[in-house]
Amino acid sequence: EEQVVESGGGLVQPGGSLRLSCAASGFTFSNYELNWVRQAPGKGLEWVSYISSSGSTIYYVDSVKGRFTISRDNAKNSLYLQMNSLRGEDTAVYYCVSKYYDFWSGYLSFVWGKGTTVTVSS
Amino acid sequence: EIVMTQSPATLSVSPGERATLSCRASQSVSSNFAWYQLKPGQAPRLLIYGASTRATGIPARFSGSGSGTEFSLTISSLQSEDFAVYYCQQYNSWPWTFGLGTKVEIK
């Protein structure tokens, strides 16, 4: 079974840092594109960052550029999100989302974890 | 950025009845469109991708349709486990964007 499990969330003061991790199992990690998506309390889903299967292509939503860094370790089947200079508006549940697309069959898979909660507050 | 607009915000339905949810994109996303079901404390569940393809293990009572800018999700006969919040998503262009959700509640 394809599965991703997030960890590393917690309470942090404004301006602080946190590193989220996502451990994957049940699929060939190095073939999958990965994303972080967040949901602030009472709000909708917001895509945060993307990293390609090789790690060579990376995107961020404008609000986290220069503060967040996405990375992956294919040898450890793990995804990371280093979050610096945290703000109150970064408070959210952060989800790890894997994406696999097979061009020939048209098969698409999005696998989400249960999320890890980040609270930025003094 | 593509804006996804879902309607209605809340849908009150009796078990066994049919529910139809809508989502509109501010510009064409072709068929690069998905529906998710969210329940508190659970991982979001992919229901539909490619606008109309059911994800693995999704019951046949869930169906999706549409392309371009107008999409819909139909649940043919609501079961107790279907009462949840549903989100639409476009993955045609960056950034991925989501609707604000439709809460399907028991009438």
Side-chain angles (χ1 to χ4, degrees), chain A residues 35 39 47 50 59 108 110 112-113, chain B residues 36 43-44 87 91 94-96:
Chain A
N35 297 265
Q39 185 172 32
W47 169 81
Y50 160 88
Y59 302 129
L108 179 65
F110 286 117
W112 293 60
Chain B
Y36 293 90
Y87 287 89
Y91 51 92
W94 296 104
W96 285 356

Side-chain angles (χ1 to χ4, degrees), chain A residues 59-99:
Chain A
Y59 302 129
Y60 299 99
V61 68
D62 285 348
S63 60
V64 309
K65 283 180 182 176
R67 300 188 299 122
F68 289 11
T69 302
I70 191 172
S71 62
R72 64 188 294 164
D73 186 335
N74 285 345
K76 294 183 178 179
N77 287 359
S78 293
L79 171 71
Y80 306 100
L81 186 67
Q82 177 66 44
M83 303 187 296
N84 298 330
S85 303
L86 283 161
R87 307 167 180 167
E89 54 264 36
D90 297 318
T91 295
V93 176
Y94 284 73
Y95 296 100
C96 169
V97 185
S98 70
K99 180 193 173 189

Side-chain angles (χ1 to χ4, degrees), chain A residues 37 44-47 110 112, chain B residues 2-8 21-26 29 32-38 45-48 51 65 69-73 85-91 96-103:
Chain A
V37 174
L45 296 165
E46 179 187 39
W47 169 81
F110 286 117
W112 293 60
Chain B
I2 298 174
V3 177
M4 308 299 287
T5 304
Q6 286 187 246
S7 61
L21 291 63
S22 298
C23 183
R24 173 178 293 177
S26 61
V29 299
N32 296 311
F33 179 90
W35 288 100
Y36 293 90
Q37 178 191 72
L38 269 74
R45 182 188 185 196
L46 176 66
L47 301 174
I48 301 287
S65 64
T69 62
E70 299 283 344
F71 301 89
S72 64
L73 173 71
V85 181
Y86 293 81
Y87 287 89
C88 63
Q89 177 210 1
Q90 69 81 19
Y91 51 92
W96 285 356
T97 47
F98 299 84
L100 293 180
T102 292
K103 181 180 181 181

